[in-house]
Amino acid sequence: MSERANAVKCPMCFKHFSSPLIFSHVQHCNGTKSNETSSGHATEKTSAPNLLKRSSPWSQFPNSRKLGKKEEAETSSKNAGVGCHGPNTLNVSTTSKLQTTGFPRPLAEMARPATLEEFVGQVKVVGRETSLFQLINNNITPSMIFWGPPGCGKTTLANIIACKARASPNKNPVRFVKLSATNTGKADVQAVIRVAANEKKMFQRRTILFIDEIHRFNKLQQDTFLPHVENGTIVLLGATTENPSFSLNSALLSRCRVVVLNKLSPSDVESLLTRAVKMLLPNADVISHKLTTDEIDTGSNKEIVIRRSALQLLANVCDGDARTALNGLQIAVESLKSSDGKQVIDDALINKSLERSHVLYDRSGDQHYEVISALHKSIRGGDDNAALYWLTRMIVGGEDPKFIARRLIRIASEDVGLADSNALNLAVSTYHAVIYVGLPECDASLAQCVVYLSRAPKSIEAYLALEKAKSCIKDCKGAIPSVPLHLRNASTKLMKDLGYGAGYKYEYDPDQTYLPAELKGVNFFVTG
């Protein structure tokens, strides 16, 4: 084989070089120091081994070296256009074939929108009048953190940004790299950043790095992004279900725009389901839920018919999670058995496909704190009906009942307080009942305590006095006052000789003082 056949073409001057020397030449073409001769070929004195050690950023050049597994995955993702797939029609001709082979990919992935026009919901964030819509359409992408519940469109929005950037490669050309914090470490991120730095230097190509579940990176790992986001080496897109204020570094947050996404409304989810049926299920038809079986047989020429009420039911039970809704539809379609007649997806089949209603509750996330706060405030406000609802949300969501019982003890002292001294006794008894009985039977004890505390009279006198006492100690100027000698216990002869306990009167005496002299006249129970 000829020498030219084994050579690699420079992407800038289009001359050919041997594989070990192409790196030095590319640096020369980019204006860096090189040992290249006037003939256009690098000399044999070039230190090829040293260049090969740094060869990972040049993996885009063919024949330069064999790619590693991670680089092959990155290159294939880049060439395939990560996240740029749009809805496509299933390549099936009959219902029986669909039921036999199943879906080639999860329906939630196949139905993922590829443009902002197809994006459903989040009008306040990416509506046509928003600044983010204009930025994405103009191929301008700032570093952003997408925060929202599961299935609200965080990953979809990142993929749309990637698709938009790839659609106009001549205008602000970009690379899009997608990683997940669940299976990615600091070394992987640093490798992507090294490639991004060379891409920017050599080809003026930006790199958009999307990190899914970014909150799973610890604070030290998050620090890796800081200098590279600030100097523009990468544009960081992160997706998280956790509150960024607690899960992300404040320094990283200051460099990124936080985009808050809300869970989808039932109407939004229903429109997504309808769109998925029309575009991805060629043998299915959505019909009115009021039609009888005979009317379905004569009114639709499709082999699968889906009642509108079934889609509405699915949209309601998924709790704003589009992924859950689409997966539920997929399960319903795949559960149909082959037969000669029409197959109907109705409410009964949806209920059968889903084991239970989808309850969004994370025992270690935002829902854990938000729902307990709602319970506390409902009890404080005396709304026993709302308090019982929030209690049930936590129990159904799998919250630790001991955690709820501990909070009820706090509420009994903080909010009911001196107005009903029995409230604390009941709250403590409820905690012991939870330990003795456990779930599911302890739910009645928790409900009893919640309703009692809600209906009990409220007094925060002791709580407010405690807060004033804390402030008095915290804001004390100078030395903390000493305990007066007459209040000290004279447990030894030396202490008694020093005056400990001198003048203390065991019986009540209105003239006897109990506060340090520096706090004379201070009353924590006086309001105002």
Side-chain angles (χ1 to χ4, degrees), residues 499-520:
Y500 284 30
Y504 172 72
K505 299 177 182 179
Y506 186 83
E507 65 280 359
Y508 172 73
D509 185 349
D511 295 328
Q512 185 165 250
T513 60
Y514 297 91
L515 281 174
E518 295 88 340
L519 299 180
K520 184 179 181 180

Side-chain angles (χ1 to χ4, degrees), residues 37-50:
T37 65
S38 58
S39 63
H41 292 273
T43 64
E44 295 299 326
K45 295 181 180 180
T46 304
S47 180
N50 291 335

